[in-house]
Amino acid sequence: MSKTDEKPLKKVCIICAKGTIEDVYATLVLANGAVMEGIEARVFFTFFGLDAITKSQMKKLHTATVGNPALRMPGGIPFPSLLGILPGVEAGVSAMMKSQMEKLDIPPVDEFLEMITAGGGEIYACKLAMDMFKLKKEDLWEGVSGVLTVGEFYGMCGGENTQIIFT
Amino acid sequence: MAEKVIAGKTVQVNDEGYFTDPSQWTKEMAAEMAKEYGIELTDKHYQVIDFLRERYLAGEALTIRRVGNSGIVDIKGLYQLFPGGPLKISSKLAGIPKPASCV
């Protein structure tokens, strides 16, 4: 099939179940990139991914300094796991990641979510995970469009040329 | 690379229709290209276009966030000005290359 026969993507439904900086940003970059291309985007945050849209947590995301074999020091030396367990190290590494992203004009989580919704993207929270973590709608970022069951979310993922992405 | 006649003048564009030489661009060309997208250019559109050209020629990487912080228009407004491609369509109309940014 040649490229000209391909039908362009119309909608992406993205599911984020993890709450580390890299998992959340992968989700946000994909969603924002979609709306910038005129592709509809719906994002479903579940389990630890809920941290990204919980007011008290969204500014405090971390990247794991233990059990993260891809983490390296500046210069490329592997980051020693034993160093990662020291108090403050994970916070320091996370702050450094965020400052590196800011240099590339990648915004903080709340601003990024605003950019996505400004472009018509929709943000949803998982009902089951909310119940599990004892979260209420008021605990969530104001721009969240709703709290859904997985069935309701799937109900929004129909239509031609729609893809579901699990980050 | 291809040649295209826009507003009565021949310009160099790439296969996606982006200018390869921003100095060939004129305001009249922007207005004519905008019609292909069903957009009637207003002062606000031109302010965004001027901003993009100025920043591009200054060697900066363009993002919608930067346009949103320019004081000209917020990001929601930018989507309304250039529906379906806030940075892509505005860059094309501004006669600058397609932005290589993911944000």
Side-chain angles (χ1 to χ4, degrees), chain A residues 85-165:
Chain A
I85 64 169
L86 298 177
V89 170
E90 190 176 279
V93 167
S94 301
M96 199 170 157
M97 293 252 295
K98 287 177 192 170
S99 77
Q100 292 294 322
M101 290 194 293
E102 181 65 44
K103 277 186 199 153
L104 293 171
D105 220 20
I106 301 172
V109 174
D110 51 347
E111 191 188 334
F112 216 162
L113 287 165
E114 273 166 29
M115 283 167 62
I116 294 164
T117 51
E122 292 170 11
I123 309 294
Y124 295 97
C126 167
K127 185 175 182 307
L128 184 63
M130 295 267 293
D131 292 345
M132 201 183 115
F133 292 128
K134 312 265 185 296
L135 288 168
K136 293 191 220 57
K137 182 88 175 32
E138 308 85 82
D139 300 320
L140 301 179
W141 176 68
E142 299 80 6
V144 173
S145 293
V147 179
L148 305 178
T149 64
V150 66
E152 286 168 327
F153 183 68
Y154 279 144
M156 296 181 161
C157 304
E160 246 182 57
N161 302 311
T162 298
Q163 294 289 339
I164 297 183
I165 303 167

Coordinates of all heavy atoms in Angstrom, one line a residue, chain A residues 85-165:
Chain A
I85 N 19.2 5.5 46.2 CA 18.4 5.3 47.4 C 18.6 6.4 48.4 O 17.8 6.6 49.3 CB 18.6 3.9 48.1 CG1 20.1 3.9 48.6 CG2 18.3 2.8 47.1 CD1 20.3 2.7 49.5
L86 N 19.6 7.3 48.2 CA 19.9 8.3 49.2 C 18.8 9.4 49.2 O 18.2 9.7 48.2 CB 21.2 9.0 48.9 CG 22.4 8.0 49.0 CD1 23.7 8.8 48.6 CD2 22.6 7.4 50.4
P87 N 18.5 9.9 50.4 CA 17.4 10.9 50.4 C 17.8 12.1 49.6 O 18.9 12.6 49.6 CB 17.4 11.3 51.9 CG 18.1 10.3 52.7 CD 19.0 9.6 51.7
G88 N 16.8 12.6 48.8 CA 17.0 13.8 48.0 C 17.5 13.6 46.6 O 17.5 14.4 45.8
V89 N 18.1 12.4 46.4 CA 18.7 12.1 45.1 C 17.6 12.1 44.0 O 17.8 12.7 42.9 CB 19.6 10.8 45.1 CG1 20.0 10.5 43.7 CG2 20.8 11.1 46.0
E90 N 16.5 11.3 44.3 CA 15.5 11.2 43.3 C 14.9 12.6 43.0 O 14.6 12.9 41.9 CB 14.4 10.3 43.8 CG 13.4 9.9 42.7 CD 12.4 8.9 43.1 OE1 12.7 7.7 43.1 OE2 11.3 9.3 43.5
A91 N 14.7 13.4 44.0 CA 14.1 14.7 43.9 C 15.1 15.6 43.0 O 14.7 16.3 42.1 CB 13.9 15.4 45.2
G92 N 16.4 15.4 43.3 CA 17.4 16.2 42.5 C 17.4 15.8 41.0 O 17.4 16.7 40.2
V93 N 17.4 14.5 40.8 CA 17.4 14.0 39.4 C 16.1 14.5 38.7 O 16.2 14.9 37.6 CB 17.5 12.5 39.4 CG1 17.2 11.9 38.0 CG2 18.9 12.0 39.8
S94 N 15.0 14.4 39.4 CA 13.7 14.8 38.8 C 13.7 16.3 38.5 O 13.3 16.7 37.4 CB 12.6 14.5 39.8 OG 12.6 13.1 40.1
A95 N 14.3 17.1 39.4 CA 14.3 18.6 39.1 C 15.2 18.8 37.9 O 14.9 19.7 37.1 CB 14.9 19.3 40.4
M96 N 16.3 18.0 37.8 CA 17.2 18.2 36.6 C 16.5 17.9 35.3 O 16.6 18.6 34.3 CB 18.4 17.4 36.8 CG 19.6 17.8 36.0 SD 21.0 16.9 36.5 CE 22.0 17.0 35.1
M97 N 15.7 16.8 35.4 CA 15.0 16.4 34.2 C 14.0 17.5 33.8 O 13.9 17.8 32.6 CB 14.1 15.1 34.4 CG 14.9 13.9 34.7 SD 14.8 12.7 33.3 CE 13.1 12.3 33.3
K98 N 13.3 18.1 34.8 CA 12.3 19.1 34.5 C 13.0 20.3 33.9 O 12.5 21.0 33.0 CB 11.6 19.5 35.7 CG 10.6 18.4 36.1 CD 9.8 18.7 37.4 CE 9.1 17.5 37.9 NZ 8.5 17.7 39.3
S99 N 14.2 20.7 34.4 CA 14.9 21.9 33.9 C 15.4 21.6 32.5 O 15.4 22.5 31.7 CB 16.0 22.3 34.8 OG 17.2 21.5 34.7
Q100 N 15.8 20.4 32.2 CA 16.2 20.1 30.8 C 15.0 20.2 29.9 O 15.2 20.7 28.7 CB 16.7 18.7 30.7 CG 18.1 18.4 31.5 CD 19.2 19.2 30.8 OE1 19.3 19.3 29.6 NE2 20.1 19.7 31.6
M101 N 13.9 19.8 30.3 CA 12.7 19.9 29.5 C 12.3 21.3 29.3 O 11.9 21.7 28.2 CB 11.5 19.1 30.1 CG 11.8 17.6 30.0 SD 10.4 16.6 30.3 CE 10.1 16.9 32.0
E102 N 12.4 22.1 30.3 CA 12.0 23.5 30.2 C 12.8 24.2 29.1 O 12.4 25.0 28.4 CB 12.2 24.2 31.6 CG 11.8 25.7 31.6 CD 10.3 26.0 31.4 OE1 9.5 25.3 32.0 OE2 10.0 26.9 30.6
K103 N 14.1 23.8 29.0 CA 15.0 24.4 28.0 C 14.5 24.1 26.6 O 14.8 24.8 25.7 CB 16.4 23.8 28.2 CG 17.2 24.6 29.2 CD 18.6 24.1 29.3 CE 19.3 24.4 30.6 NZ 20.3 23.5 31.0
L104 N 13.8 23.0 26.4 CA 13.3 22.6 25.1 C 11.8 23.2 25.0 O 11.1 22.8 24.0 CB 13.3 21.1 25.0 CG 14.7 20.5 24.9 CD1 14.5 19.0 24.9 CD2 15.4 20.9 23.6
D105 N 11.4 24.0 25.9 CA 10.1 24.6 25.8 C 9.0 23.6 26.1 O 7.9 23.8 25.6 CB 9.9 25.3 24.5 CG 9.1 26.7 24.7 OD1 9.2 27.2 25.8 OD2 8.5 27.2 23.7
I106 N 9.3 22.6 26.8 CA 8.3 21.6 27.3 C 7.8 22.1 28.6 O 8.6 22.2 29.6 CB 8.9 20.2 27.4 CG1 9.5 19.8 26.0 CG2 7.8 19.2 27.8 CD1 10.2 18.5 26.1
P107 N 6.5 22.4 28.7 CA 6.0 23.1 29.9 C 5.8 22.1 31.1 O 5.8 20.9 30.9 CB 4.7 23.6 29.4 CG 4.3 22.7 28.3 CD 5.5 22.2 27.7
P108 N 5.5 22.7 32.3 CA 5.1 21.9 33.4 C 3.8 21.2 33.1 O 3.1 21.6 32.2 CB 5.0 22.9 34.6 CG 5.6 24.1 34.1 CD 5.6 24.1 32.6
V109 N 3.5 20.2 33.9 CA 2.3 19.3 33.6 C 1.0 20.1 33.5 O 0.3 19.9 32.5 CB 2.2 18.2 34.7 CG1 0.9 17.5 34.5 CG2 3.3 17.3 34.7
D110 N 0.8 21.0 34.5 CA -0.5 21.8 34.4 C -0.6 22.6 33.1 O -1.7 22.6 32.5 CB -0.8 22.6 35.7 CG 0.4 23.5 36.0 OD1 1.5 23.3 35.5 OD2 0.2 24.4 36.9
E111 N 0.5 23.3 32.8 CA 0.4 24.1 31.6 C 0.3 23.2 30.3 O -0.4 23.6 29.4 CB 1.7 24.9 31.5 CG 1.6 26.0 30.4 CD 3.0 26.7 30.2 OE1 3.8 26.8 31.2 OE2 3.2 27.2 29.1
F112 N 0.9 22.1 30.3 CA 0.9 21.2 29.2 C -0.6 20.7 29.0 O -1.1 20.7 27.9 CB 1.8 20.0 29.4 CG 2.5 19.5 28.2 CD1 3.6 18.7 28.3 CD2 2.0 19.8 26.9 CE1 4.3 18.2 27.2 CE2 2.7 19.3 25.8 CZ 3.8 18.5 25.9
L113 N -1.2 20.4 30.1 CA -2.7 19.9 30.0 C -3.5 21.1 29.5 O -4.4 20.8 28.7 CB -3.1 19.5 31.4 CG -2.6 18.2 32.0 CD1 -2.9 18.1 33.5 CD2 -3.2 17.0 31.2
E114 N -3.2 22.3 29.9 CA -4.0 23.4 29.4 C -3.8 23.6 27.9 O -4.7 23.9 27.1 CB -3.5 24.7 30.1 CG -4.3 25.0 31.3 CD -3.7 26.0 32.2 OE1 -3.0 26.9 31.6 OE2 -3.8 26.0 33.4
M115 N -2.5 23.4 27.4 CA -2.3 23.5 26.0 C -3.1 22.4 25.2 O -3.6 22.7 24.1 CB -0.8 23.2 25.7 CG 0.1 24.4 26.0 SD 1.9 24.0 26.1 CE 2.2 23.5 24.4
I116 N -3.2 21.2 25.8 CA -3.9 20.1 25.1 C -5.4 20.5 25.0 O -6.1 20.3 24.0 CB -3.7 18.8 25.8 CG1 -2.2 18.4 25.6 CG2 -4.6 17.7 25.3 CD1 -1.7 17.3 26.6
T117 N -6.0 20.9 26.2 CA -7.4 21.2 26.2 C -7.7 22.5 25.3 O -8.8 22.6 24.7 CB -8.0 21.4 27.6 OG1 -7.1 22.3 28.3 CG2 -8.0 20.1 28.3
A118 N -6.7 23.4 25.3 CA -6.9 24.6 24.4 C -7.1 24.2 23.0 O -7.8 24.8 22.2 CB -5.7 25.6 24.6
G119 N -6.5 23.1 22.6 CA -6.6 22.6 21.2 C -7.7 21.6 21.0 O -7.9 21.0 20.0
G120 N -8.6 21.5 22.1 CA -9.7 20.6 21.9 C -9.5 19.2 22.4 O -10.5 18.4 22.4
G121 N -8.4 18.9 23.0 CA -8.1 17.6 23.6 C -8.9 17.4 24.8 O -9.3 18.4 25.5
E122 N -9.3 16.2 25.2 CA -10.1 16.0 26.4 C -9.4 15.1 27.3 O -8.7 14.1 26.9 CB -11.5 15.4 26.0 CG -12.3 16.3 25.2 CD -13.5 15.7 24.6 OE1 -13.9 14.6 24.9 OE2 -14.2 16.4 23.7
I123 N -9.5 15.4 28.6 CA -8.8 14.7 29.7 C -9.8 14.0 30.6 O -10.8 14.6 31.0 CB -8.0 15.7 30.5 CG1 -7.1 16.6 29.7 CG2 -7.2 14.9 31.6 CD1 -6.0 15.9 28.9
Y124 N -9.6 12.7 30.8 CA -10.5 11.9 31.7 C -9.8 11.2 32.7 O -8.6 10.8 32.6 CB -11.3 10.9 30.8 CG -12.2 11.6 29.8 CD1 -11.8 11.8 28.5 CD2 -13.4 12.1 30.2 CE1 -12.6 12.5 27.6 CE2 -14.3 12.8 29.3 CZ -13.8 12.9 28.0 OH -14.6 13.6 27.1
A125 N -10.5 10.9 33.8 CA -9.9 10.1 34.9 C -10.7 8.8 35.0 O -11.9 8.7 34.7 CB -10.1 10.9 36.2
C126 N -10.0 7.8 35.5 CA -10.6 6.4 35.6 C -11.3 6.3 37.0 O -10.8 6.6 38.0 CB -9.4 5.4 35.6 SG -9.9 3.8 36.1
K127 N -12.6 5.9 36.9 CA -13.4 5.8 38.1 C -12.9 4.8 39.1 O -12.8 5.1 40.3 CB -14.8 5.5 37.7 CG -15.8 5.5 38.8 CD -17.2 5.3 38.4 CE -18.1 5.3 39.6 NZ -17.7 4.5 40.7
L128 N -12.5 3.6 38.6 CA -12.1 2.6 39.4 C -10.8 3.0 40.2 O -10.7 2.8 41.5 CB -11.8 1.3 38.6 CG -11.4 0.1 39.4 CD1 -12.5 -0.4 40.3 CD2 -11.0 -1.1 38.4
A129 N -9.8 3.6 39.5 CA -8.6 4.0 40.2 C -8.9 5.2 41.2 O -8.3 5.2 42.3 CB -7.6 4.5 39.2
M130 N -9.8 6.0 40.9 CA -10.2 7.1 41.8 C -10.8 6.5 43.1 O -10.4 7.0 44.2 CB -11.4 8.0 41.1 CG -11.0 8.7 39.9 SD -10.4 10.4 40.3 CE -11.9 11.2 40.8
D131 N -11.7 5.5 42.9 CA -12.2 4.8 44.1 C -11.1 4.2 44.9 O -11.1 4.3 46.1 CB -13.3 3.8 43.7 CG -14.5 4.4 43.0 OD1 -14.7 5.6 43.2 OD2 -15.3 3.7 42.4
M132 N -10.2 3.6 44.2 CA -9.1 2.9 44.9 C -8.2 3.8 45.7 O -7.8 3.5 46.8 CB -8.3 2.1 43.8 CG -7.5 1.0 44.3 SD -6.5 0.4 42.9 CE -4.9 0.8 43.5
F133 N -7.9 5.0 45.1 CA -7.0 5.9 45.8 C -7.8 6.9 46.6 O -7.3 7.9 47.1 CB -6.2 6.7 44.8 CG -5.2 5.8 44.1 CD1 -5.1 5.8 42.7 CD2 -4.3 5.1 44.8 CE1 -4.1 5.0 42.1 CE2 -3.3 4.3 44.2 CZ -3.2 4.3 42.8
K134 N -9.2 6.7 46.8 CA -10.1 7.6 47.5 C -10.0 9.0 47.1 O -9.9 10.0 47.9 CB -9.7 7.5 49.0 CG -9.6 6.1 49.6 CD -10.9 5.6 50.2 CE -10.7 4.3 50.9 NZ -10.4 3.1 50.0
L135 N -10.0 9.2 45.8 CA -9.9 10.5 45.2 C -11.3 11.0 44.8 O -12.2 10.2 44.4 CB -9.0 10.6 44.0 CG -7.5 10.5 44.2 CD1 -6.8 10.2 42.9 CD2 -7.0 11.7 44.9
K136 N -11.6 12.3 45.0 CA -12.9 12.9 44.5 C -12.6 13.8 43.4 O -11.5 14.3 43.1 CB -13.5 13.7 45.7 CG -13.9 12.8 46.9 CD -14.7 13.7 47.8 CE -14.5 13.4 49.3 NZ -13.1 13.6 49.7
K137 N -13.7 14.1 42.6 CA -13.6 15.0 41.5 C -12.9 16.3 41.8 O -12.1 16.8 41.1 CB -15.0 15.2 40.9 CG -15.0 16.1 39.6 CD -14.8 15.3 38.4 CE -14.9 16.0 37.0 NZ -14.6 17.4 36.8
E138 N -13.1 16.8 43.1 CA -12.5 18.1 43.5 C -11.0 18.0 43.6 O -10.3 19.0 43.7 CB -13.1 18.5 44.9 CG -14.6 18.6 45.0 CD -15.2 17.3 45.4 OE1 -15.2 16.9 46.6 OE2 -15.7 16.6 44.4
D139 N -10.5 16.8 43.8 CA -9.1 16.6 44.0 C -8.4 16.7 42.6 O -7.1 16.9 42.6 CB -8.7 15.2 44.6 CG -9.4 15.0 45.9 OD1 -9.4 16.0 46.7 OD2 -9.9 13.9 46.2
L140 N -9.1 16.7 41.6 CA -8.5 16.7 40.2 C -8.3 18.1 39.7 O -9.1 19.0 40.0 CB -9.4 15.8 39.2 CG -9.6 14.4 39.6 CD1 -10.5 13.7 38.6 CD2 -8.3 13.6 39.8
W141 N -7.4 18.2 38.7 CA -7.2 19.4 38.0 C -8.5 19.9 37.3 O -9.3 19.0 36.9 CB -6.1 19.1 36.9 CG -5.8 20.2 36.0 CD1 -5.2 21.4 36.3 CD2 -6.1 20.3 34.6 NE1 -5.1 22.2 35.2 CE2 -5.6 21.5 34.1 CE3 -6.7 19.4 33.7 CZ2 -5.7 21.9 32.8 CZ3 -6.8 19.8 32.3 CH2 -6.3 21.0 31.9
E142 N -8.7 21.2 37.3 CA -10.1 21.7 36.9 C -10.4 21.4 35.5 O -11.6 21.3 35.1 CB -10.1 23.3 37.0 CG -9.8 23.8 38.4 CD -8.4 23.8 38.8 OE1 -7.5 23.5 37.9 OE2 -8.1 24.2 40.0
G143 N -9.5 21.1 34.6 CA -9.8 20.9 33.2 C -10.2 19.5 32.9 O -10.4 19.2 31.7
V144 N -10.2 18.6 33.9 CA -10.6 17.2 33.6 C -12.1 17.2 33.2 O -13.0 17.8 33.8 CB -10.4 16.3 34.9 CG1 -11.0 14.9 34.7 CG2 -8.9 16.3 35.2
S145 N -12.4 16.6 32.0 CA -13.7 16.6 31.5 C -14.7 15.6 32.2 O -15.9 15.8 32.2 CB -13.7 16.2 30.0 OG -13.1 17.2 29.3
G146 N -14.1 14.6 32.8 CA -15.0 13.7 33.5 C -14.3 12.5 34.1 O -13.2 12.2 33.8
V147 N -15.1 11.8 34.9 CA -14.6 10.5 35.6 C -15.3 9.4 34.9 O -16.6 9.4 34.9 CB -14.8 10.6 37.1 CG1 -14.3 9.3 37.7 CG2 -14.1 11.8 37.7
L148 N -14.6 8.5 34.3 CA -15.3 7.5 33.4 C -15.0 6.0 33.8 O -13.9 5.8 34.4 CB -14.8 7.6 32.0 CG -15.0 8.9 31.3 CD1 -14.4 8.8 29.9 CD2 -16.4 9.4 31.2
T149 N -15.9 5.1 33.6 CA -15.5 3.7 33.6 C -14.8 3.4 32.4 O -14.8 4.1 31.4 CB -16.8 2.8 33.7 OG1 -17.5 3.0 32.5 CG2 -17.7 3.2 34.9
V150 N -14.1 2.2 32.4 CA -13.4 1.9 31.2 C -14.3 1.7 30.0 O -14.0 2.1 28.9 CB -12.5 0.6 31.4 CG1 -13.3 -0.6 31.7 CG2 -11.5 0.4 30.3
G151 N -15.5 1.2 30.3 CA -16.5 1.0 29.2 C -16.9 2.3 28.6 O -17.0 2.4 27.3
E152 N -17.1 3.3 29.4 CA -17.4 4.7 28.9 C -16.3 5.2 28.1 O -16.5 5.9 27.0 CB -17.8 5.6 30.1 CG -19.1 5.3 30.7 CD -19.3 6.1 32.0 OE1 -18.3 6.3 32.7 OE2 -20.5 6.4 32.3
F153 N -15.1 5.0 28.5 CA -13.9 5.5 27.7 C -13.9 4.8 26.4 O -13.7 5.5 25.3 CB -12.6 5.3 28.5 CG -11.4 5.9 27.7 CD1 -11.3 7.3 27.5 CD2 -10.5 5.1 27.2 CE1 -10.2 7.8 26.8 CE2 -9.4 5.6 26.5 CZ -9.3 6.9 26.3
Y154 N -14.0 3.5 26.4 CA -14.1 2.8 25.1 C -15.2 3.3 24.2 O -15.0 3.4 23.0 CB -14.2 1.3 25.3 CG -13.0 0.5 25.7 CD1 -13.0 -0.5 26.6 CD2 -11.8 0.9 25.1 CE1 -11.9 -1.2 26.9 CE2 -10.6 0.2 25.4 CZ -10.7 -0.9 26.3 OH -9.5 -1.5 26.7
G155 N -16.3 3.7 24.8 CA -17.4 4.2 24.0 C -17.0 5.5 23.3 O -17.7 5.8 22.3
M156 N -16.0 6.2 23.7 CA -15.5 7.4 23.1 C -14.4 7.1 22.0 O -13.9 8.0 21.4 CB -14.9 8.3 24.1 CG -15.8 8.8 25.1 SD -14.9 9.9 26.2 CE -16.3 10.7 26.9
C157 N -14.0 5.9 21.9 CA -12.9 5.5 21.1 C -13.3 4.9 19.7 O -12.5 4.3 19.1 CB -11.9 4.6 21.8 SG -11.4 5.2 23.4
G158 N -14.5 5.1 19.4 CA -15.0 4.6 18.1 C -14.6 5.5 16.9 O -14.0 6.5 17.1
G159 N -15.1 5.1 15.8 CA -14.9 5.9 14.6 C -13.7 5.4 13.7 O -12.8 4.8 14.2
E160 N -13.8 5.8 12.5 CA -12.7 5.4 11.5 C -11.4 6.1 11.9 O -11.4 7.2 12.4 CB -13.1 6.0 10.1 CG -13.5 4.9 9.1 CD -13.8 5.6 7.8 OE1 -13.0 6.3 7.3 OE2 -14.9 5.4 7.3
N161 N -10.4 5.4 11.6 CA -9.0 5.9 11.8 C -8.7 6.4 13.2 O -8.2 7.5 13.4 CB -8.7 6.9 10.7 CG -8.8 6.4 9.3 OD1 -8.3 5.3 9.1 ND2 -9.6 7.0 8.5
T162 N -9.2 5.6 14.2 CA -8.9 5.9 15.6 C -7.9 4.9 16.1 O -8.0 3.7 15.8 CB -10.2 5.8 16.4 OG1 -11.1 6.8 15.8 CG2 -10.0 6.1 17.8
Q163 N -7.0 5.4 16.9 CA -6.1 4.4 17.5 C -6.1 4.6 19.0 O -6.2 5.7 19.5 CB -4.6 4.7 17.0 CG -4.4 4.5 15.5 CD -4.4 3.0 15.2 OE1 -4.1 2.2 16.0 NE2 -4.6 2.7 13.9
I164 N -5.9 3.5 19.7 CA -5.8 3.5 21.2 C -4.3 3.3 21.5 O -3.7 2.3 20.9 CB -6.7 2.5 21.9 CG1 -8.1 2.8 21.6 CG2 -6.4 2.4 23.4 CD1 -9.1 1.9 22.3
I165 N -3.7 4.2 22.3 CA -2.3 4.1 22.6 C -2.2 3.9 24.1 O -2.8 4.7 24.9 CB -1.6 5.3 22.1 CG1 -1.8 5.6 20.6 CG2 -0.1 5.3 22.5 CD1 -1.4 6.9 20.1

